[in-house]
Amino acid sequence: MHQSSGRWRLGLALSLLTVFLWGILPIALKVVLQKLDVYTVIWFRFLISFVLLAVYLGIRGQLPKLRQLNANSGKLLAIATLMLAANYFFFMHGLALTSPANAEVIIQLATLLLGFGGLIVFQERYNLQQWLGVSVLTLGYILFFRAQLTNLITPSNTYIFGSALVVLGAVVWAIYALAQKQLLQSLSSANIMLVIYGGCALLFTPFAQIEKILTLSSFHLMILLFCGLNTLIAYGSFAESLEHWEASRVSAVLALAPIFTLISVEVTSLIAPNLIPPERLTILGLCGACLVVAGSVAIALKKSQ
């Protein structure tokens, strides 16, 4: 099994960068989905990430070589590619039916599943403080969801269906992340992501309506480019963080992403109220979000033994 390098400060920094980028991403995606369909947006994000990463690795002479792969690595790469493609599919469809903050909070189930996967698959360990953190984190989710279900800005059936899709996205993402961590035994994080980006781009090519991209305004085209760059940098940071820190600790930090989303939605709705409607959070919902933060900190900031 893959063992972390022990450079937990670097792992924490990379995890926080990932949190920030993933926190603001749902807002950009919600905007670009006003003009493009889900499949075209997903295809573009994977393609631009693949091309830029391939150019970077090519210049540095670090492109992956087939001899680096064994039979197990090939299977894990296939699993990781299919699971990440499924994650994008479910999350994007769910986001289209809910709000950015709702989708970002629900997708955090993935980080909880990744943490438990790290405990089971990689024999990582939680101490008492961290298990208390898990309990607080779980309570925070319950309070947040309860508040949202009684204060919806979309029809309840639409919200529930969209939420169910995001939950499915969380499950497949956790499988992807565990496969990604194990692949670090045979490939660098950049090489892994290059193969996954290329594979996912190929999977969505038959469904993409590429000609629609040419009709975008300069504003929506810039947002689409940002989504592509966000994918490249955020997943690169996430993959590298797994090299230096335990999956359970990384997953705890990633649970902070909804807080960045909530802040970003409020700022965006103040600056451009016609672009993104403000979230209608109650006191109960805010309390739930605070508990999510507290639980995440309790899990993540306990130094590795």
Side-chain angles (χ1 to χ4, degrees), residues 201-264:
L202 286 175
L203 287 174
F204 284 100
T205 296
F207 309 102
Q209 300 181 41
I210 303 172
E211 67 280 359
K212 284 189 176 182
I213 297 176
L214 302 177
T215 66
L216 291 177
S217 66
S218 56
F219 171 74
H220 283 93
L221 184 58
M222 286 177 60
I223 297 295
L224 181 62
L225 286 170
F226 168 77
C227 291
L229 292 173
N230 186 296
T231 299
L232 174 65
I233 299 171
Y235 268 92
S237 299
F238 166 69
E240 189 64 19
S241 70
L242 291 175
E243 178 70 36
H244 303 292
W245 214 17
E246 296 97 328
S248 53
R249 308 294 177 87
V250 173
S251 70
V253 177
L254 297 186
L256 299 175
I259 307 305
F260 285 87
T261 302
L262 288 169
I263 295 172
S264 300

Side-chain angles (χ1 to χ4, degrees), residues 40 56 92 106 125 141 148 165 172 250 272 278 285:
T40 304
Y56 172 77
M92 291 288 289
I106 295 169
R125 293 290 181 266
Y141 286 145
Q148 291 301 88
L165 291 176
V172 296
V250 173

Side-chain angles (χ1 to χ4, degrees), residues 49-69 186-188 190-195:
S49 299
F50 172 77
V51 171
L52 292 177
L53 186 56
V55 170
Y56 172 77
L57 292 177
I59 291 173
R60 295 173 62 90
Q62 296 176 351
L63 289 171
K65 299 175 177 59
L66 288 177
R67 65 173 178 269
Q68 294 175 271
L69 293 177
S186 53
L187 288 170
S188 69
N191 283 345
I192 295 168
M193 294 315 302
L194 179 67
V195 176

